[in-house]
Coordinates of all heavy atoms in Angstrom, one line a residue:
Q1 N 64.1 137.1 59.5 CA 63.5 135.7 59.6 C 63.2 135.2 58.2 O 62.8 136.0 57.3 CB 62.2 135.9 60.4 CG 61.4 134.6 60.6 CD 60.1 134.9 61.3 OE1 60.2 135.4 62.5 NE2 59.0 134.7 60.7
P2 N 63.5 133.9 57.9 CA 63.2 133.4 56.6 C 61.7 133.5 56.3 O 60.9 133.6 57.2 CB 63.6 131.9 56.7 CG 64.6 131.9 57.8 CD 64.2 132.9 58.8
D3 N 61.4 133.5 55.0 CA 60.0 133.8 54.7 C 59.1 132.5 54.7 O 57.9 132.6 54.5 CB 59.9 134.4 53.3 CG 60.5 133.6 52.2 OD1 61.0 132.4 52.5 OD2 60.6 134.0 51.1
K4 N 59.7 131.4 55.1 CA 58.9 130.2 55.2 C 59.6 129.1 56.0 O 60.8 129.3 56.3 CB 58.6 129.6 53.8 CG 59.9 129.1 53.0 CD 59.5 128.5 51.7 CE 60.8 128.1 50.9 NZ 60.5 127.5 49.6
A5 N 58.9 128.1 56.4 CA 59.5 127.0 57.2 C 60.5 126.3 56.4 O 60.4 126.2 55.1 CB 58.4 126.1 57.7
M6 N 61.5 125.7 57.0 CA 62.6 125.0 56.3 C 62.7 123.6 56.7 O 62.6 123.2 57.9 CB 63.9 125.7 56.5 CG 63.9 127.2 56.0 SD 65.5 128.0 56.2 CE 66.4 127.2 54.9
T7 N 63.0 122.7 55.7 CA 63.1 121.3 56.0 C 64.5 121.0 56.6 O 65.4 121.8 56.5 CB 62.9 120.4 54.8 OG1 64.0 120.7 53.8 CG2 61.6 120.8 54.1
R8 N 64.7 119.8 57.1 CA 66.0 119.4 57.6 C 67.0 119.4 56.5 O 68.2 119.8 56.7 CB 65.9 118.0 58.2 CG 67.2 117.5 58.8 CD 67.0 116.1 59.5 NE 68.2 115.8 60.3 CZ 68.2 115.4 61.5 NH1 67.1 115.3 62.2 NH2 69.3 115.1 62.1
A9 N 66.6 118.9 55.3 CA 67.6 118.8 54.2 C 68.0 120.2 53.8 O 69.2 120.5 53.5 CB 66.9 118.1 53.0
D10 N 67.1 121.2 53.8 CA 67.4 122.6 53.4 C 68.4 123.1 54.4 O 69.4 123.8 54.0 CB 66.2 123.4 53.3 CG 65.3 123.1 52.2 OD1 65.8 122.5 51.2 OD2 64.1 123.4 52.3
I11 N 68.2 122.9 55.7 CA 69.0 123.5 56.7 C 70.4 122.8 56.7 O 71.4 123.5 56.8 CB 68.4 123.3 58.1 CG1 67.1 124.1 58.1 CG2 69.3 123.7 59.2 CD1 66.2 123.9 59.4
A12 N 70.5 121.5 56.6 CA 71.7 120.8 56.5 C 72.6 121.2 55.3 O 73.8 121.4 55.5 CB 71.5 119.3 56.5
A13 N 71.9 121.5 54.2 CA 72.7 121.9 53.0 C 73.3 123.3 53.2 O 74.4 123.6 52.7 CB 71.8 121.8 51.8
R14 N 72.6 124.1 53.8 CA 73.0 125.5 54.0 C 73.9 125.7 55.1 O 74.8 126.5 55.1 CB 71.8 126.4 54.1 CG 72.1 127.9 54.1 CD 70.9 128.7 53.9 NE 71.1 130.1 54.1 CZ 70.2 131.1 54.0 NH1 68.9 130.7 53.7 NH2 70.5 132.3 54.1
G15 N 73.7 125.0 56.2 CA 74.5 125.1 57.4 C 73.8 126.1 58.4 O 73.2 127.1 58.0
I16 N 73.9 125.8 59.7 CA 73.3 126.6 60.7 C 74.2 126.7 61.9 O 74.9 125.8 62.3 CB 71.9 126.1 61.1 CG1 71.3 127.0 62.2 CG2 72.0 124.6 61.7 CD1 69.8 126.7 62.4
V17 N 74.4 127.9 62.4 CA 75.3 128.2 63.5 C 74.6 129.0 64.6 O 73.5 129.6 64.4 CB 76.5 129.0 63.0 CG1 77.3 128.2 62.0 CG2 76.1 130.4 62.5
S18 N 75.2 129.0 65.8 CA 74.7 129.9 66.9 C 75.9 130.8 67.2 O 77.1 130.4 67.2 CB 74.3 129.1 68.1 OG 75.4 128.5 68.7
I19 N 75.6 132.1 67.5 CA 76.6 133.0 67.9 C 76.1 133.8 69.1 O 75.0 134.4 69.0 CB 76.9 134.0 66.7 CG1 77.4 133.3 65.5 CG2 78.0 135.0 67.1 CD1 77.5 134.1 64.3
D20 N 76.9 133.9 70.1 CA 76.5 134.5 71.4 C 77.1 135.9 71.5 O 77.0 136.5 72.6 CB 76.8 133.7 72.6 CG 76.1 132.3 72.6 OD1 75.0 132.3 72.0 OD2 76.6 131.4 73.1
D21 N 77.9 136.3 70.5 CA 78.7 137.6 70.7 C 77.8 138.8 70.7 O 76.8 138.9 70.0 CB 79.6 137.7 69.5 CG 80.8 136.8 69.6 OD1 81.0 136.2 70.7 OD2 81.5 136.6 68.6
D22 N 78.2 139.8 71.5 CA 77.8 141.1 71.5 C 78.8 141.9 70.6 O 79.9 142.1 71.0 CB 77.7 141.7 72.9 CG 77.3 143.2 72.9 OD1 77.4 143.9 71.9 OD2 76.8 143.6 74.0
I23 N 78.3 142.3 69.4 CA 79.3 142.9 68.5 C 80.1 144.0 69.1 O 81.3 144.1 68.9 CB 78.5 143.3 67.2 CG1 78.0 142.1 66.5 CG2 79.4 144.1 66.3 CD1 77.3 142.4 65.2
K24 N 79.4 144.9 69.8 CA 80.1 146.1 70.4 C 81.2 145.7 71.4 O 82.3 146.3 71.5 CB 79.1 147.0 71.1 CG 79.7 148.3 71.6 CD 78.6 149.1 72.2 CE 79.1 150.4 72.8 NZ 78.0 151.2 73.4
Q25 N 81.0 144.6 72.1 CA 82.0 144.1 73.1 C 82.9 143.1 72.5 O 84.1 143.1 72.7 CB 81.2 143.5 74.3 CG 80.4 144.5 75.1 CD 81.2 145.5 75.8 OE1 82.3 145.3 76.2 NE2 80.6 146.7 75.8
D26 N 82.4 142.1 71.7 CA 83.2 141.0 71.3 C 83.7 141.1 69.9 O 84.4 140.2 69.4 CB 82.3 139.7 71.5 CG 81.8 139.5 72.9 OD1 82.6 139.7 73.8 OD2 80.6 139.3 73.0
G27 N 83.2 142.1 69.2 CA 83.6 142.2 67.7 C 82.6 141.4 66.8 O 81.8 140.7 67.3
A28 N 82.8 141.6 65.5 CA 81.9 141.1 64.6 C 82.4 139.9 63.8 O 81.8 139.5 62.8 CB 81.5 142.2 63.6
A29 N 83.6 139.4 64.2 CA 84.3 138.4 63.3 C 83.4 137.2 63.1 O 83.3 136.7 62.0 CB 85.6 138.0 64.0
R30 N 82.8 136.6 64.1 CA 82.0 135.4 63.9 C 80.8 135.7 63.0 O 80.4 134.8 62.2 CB 81.5 134.9 65.3 CG 82.7 134.3 66.1 CD 82.2 133.6 67.4 NE 83.3 133.0 68.1 CZ 84.1 133.6 69.0 NH1 83.9 134.9 69.3 NH2 85.1 133.0 69.6
F31 N 80.2 136.9 63.2 CA 79.1 137.2 62.3 C 79.6 137.4 60.9 O 78.9 137.0 59.9 CB 78.4 138.5 62.8 CG 77.5 138.3 64.0 CD1 77.9 138.6 65.3 CD2 76.2 137.7 63.9 CE1 77.1 138.4 66.4 CE2 75.4 137.5 65.0 CZ 75.9 137.9 66.2
M32 N 80.7 138.0 60.7 CA 81.3 138.2 59.3 C 81.6 136.8 58.7 O 81.4 136.6 57.5 CB 82.6 139.0 59.4 CG 82.4 140.4 59.9 SD 81.4 141.5 58.8 CE 82.5 141.7 57.5
F33 N 82.1 135.9 59.5 CA 82.3 134.5 59.1 C 81.0 133.9 58.6 O 81.0 133.3 57.5 CB 82.9 133.7 60.2 CG 83.2 132.3 59.9 CD1 84.4 131.9 59.3 CD2 82.3 131.3 60.2 CE1 84.7 130.5 59.0 CE2 82.5 130.0 59.9 CZ 83.7 129.6 59.3
A34 N 80.0 133.9 59.4 CA 78.7 133.3 59.1 C 78.1 134.0 57.8 O 77.5 133.3 57.0 CB 77.7 133.4 60.2
W35 N 78.2 135.3 57.7 CA 77.7 136.0 56.6 C 78.4 135.6 55.3 O 77.8 135.4 54.3 CB 77.8 137.5 56.8 CG 77.2 138.4 55.8 CD1 76.1 138.1 55.0 CD2 77.7 139.7 55.4 NE1 75.8 139.2 54.2 CE2 76.8 140.2 54.4 CE3 78.7 140.5 55.8 CZ2 76.9 141.4 53.8 CZ3 78.8 141.8 55.2 CH2 77.9 142.2 54.2
S36 N 79.7 135.5 55.4 CA 80.5 135.1 54.2 C 80.1 133.7 53.7 O 80.1 133.4 52.5 CB 82.0 135.1 54.6 OG 82.8 134.7 53.5
R37 N 79.7 132.8 54.7 CA 79.4 131.4 54.3 C 77.9 131.3 54.1 O 77.4 130.2 53.7 CB 79.8 130.5 55.5 CG 81.3 130.2 55.6 CD 81.8 129.4 54.4 NE 83.1 129.0 54.6 CZ 83.6 128.0 55.2 NH1 82.8 127.1 55.8 NH2 84.9 127.7 55.3
D38 N 77.1 132.4 54.3 CA 75.7 132.3 54.1 C 75.0 131.3 55.0 O 74.0 130.6 54.7 CB 75.3 132.0 52.6 CG 73.8 132.3 52.3 OD1 73.3 133.2 53.0 OD2 73.2 131.6 51.5
Y39 N 75.5 131.2 56.2 CA 74.9 130.3 57.2 C 73.6 130.9 57.8 O 73.5 132.1 57.9 CB 75.9 130.1 58.4 CG 77.1 129.1 58.1 CD1 78.3 129.4 58.7 CD2 76.9 128.0 57.3 CE1 79.4 128.6 58.5 CE2 78.0 127.2 57.1 CZ 79.2 127.5 57.7 OH 80.3 126.7 57.4
L40 N 72.8 130.0 58.2 CA 71.6 130.4 59.0 C 72.0 130.6 60.4 O 73.0 129.9 60.9 CB 70.5 129.3 58.9 CG 69.8 129.1 57.6 CD1 69.0 127.7 57.6 CD2 68.9 130.2 57.2
L41 N 71.3 131.4 61.1 CA 71.5 131.6 62.5 C 70.4 130.9 63.3 O 69.2 131.1 63.0 CB 71.6 133.1 62.9 CG 72.7 133.9 62.3 CD1 72.6 135.3 62.8 CD2 74.1 133.3 62.7
Y42 N 70.8 130.2 64.3 CA 69.7 129.6 65.2 C 69.3 130.6 66.2 O 70.1 131.2 66.9 CB 70.3 128.3 65.9 CG 69.3 127.8 66.9 CD1 68.0 127.5 66.6 CD2 69.7 127.5 68.2 CE1 67.1 127.0 67.5 CE2 68.8 127.0 69.1 CZ 67.5 126.7 68.8 OH 66.6 126.2 69.7
H43 N 68.0 130.8 66.3 CA 67.4 131.9 67.2 C 67.3 131.4 68.7 O 66.9 132.2 69.5 CB 66.1 132.3 66.7 CG 65.6 133.6 67.2 ND1 66.5 134.7 67.3 CD2 64.4 134.1 67.7 CE1 65.8 135.7 67.8 NE2 64.6 135.4 68.1
G44 N 67.5 130.1 68.9 CA 67.6 129.6 70.3 C 66.3 129.5 71.0 O 66.2 129.9 72.2
T45 N 65.2 129.1 70.3 CA 63.9 129.1 71.0 C 63.2 127.8 71.0 O 62.1 127.6 71.6 CB 63.0 130.1 70.2 OG1 62.9 129.7 68.8 CG2 63.4 131.5 70.3
L46 N 63.7 126.7 70.3 CA 63.0 125.5 70.3 C 63.3 124.6 71.6 O 64.2 124.9 72.3 CB 63.5 124.7 69.1 CG 63.2 125.3 67.7 CD1 63.8 124.5 66.6 CD2 61.7 125.4 67.5
D47 N 62.4 123.6 71.7 CA 62.6 122.7 72.9 C 64.0 122.1 72.9 O 64.5 121.8 71.8 CB 61.5 121.7 72.9 CG 61.5 120.8 74.1 OD1 61.2 121.2 75.2 OD2 61.9 119.6 73.9

């Protein structure tokens, strides 16, 4: 988890993605892609 709240500008500049893969079943390619780009992951909990 990030160590502080993030503004819209910060998130837009960095990029944010959602990934539904189970690495063991679906592989890690999408996570490797996001890691290489330093994207944020959306945890899927907001309204």
Side-chain angles (χ1 to χ4, degrees):
Q1 179 180 300
D3 58 4
K4 63 179 181 179
M6 301 185 70
T7 66
R8 182 177 190 130
D10 292 337
I11 296 172
R14 187 166 171 180
I16 182 168
V17 299
S18 71
I19 302 174
D20 297 329
D21 288 343
D22 178 337
I23 291 178
K24 184 177 177 181
Q25 297 294 325
D26 306 311
R30 290 184 177 87
F31 284 100
M32 298 294 288
F33 178 88
W35 185 32
S36 179
R37 288 289 185 88
D38 195 31
Y39 285 146
L40 292 166
L41 296 181
Y42 174 51
H43 198 45
T45 54
L46 296 175
D47 183 72

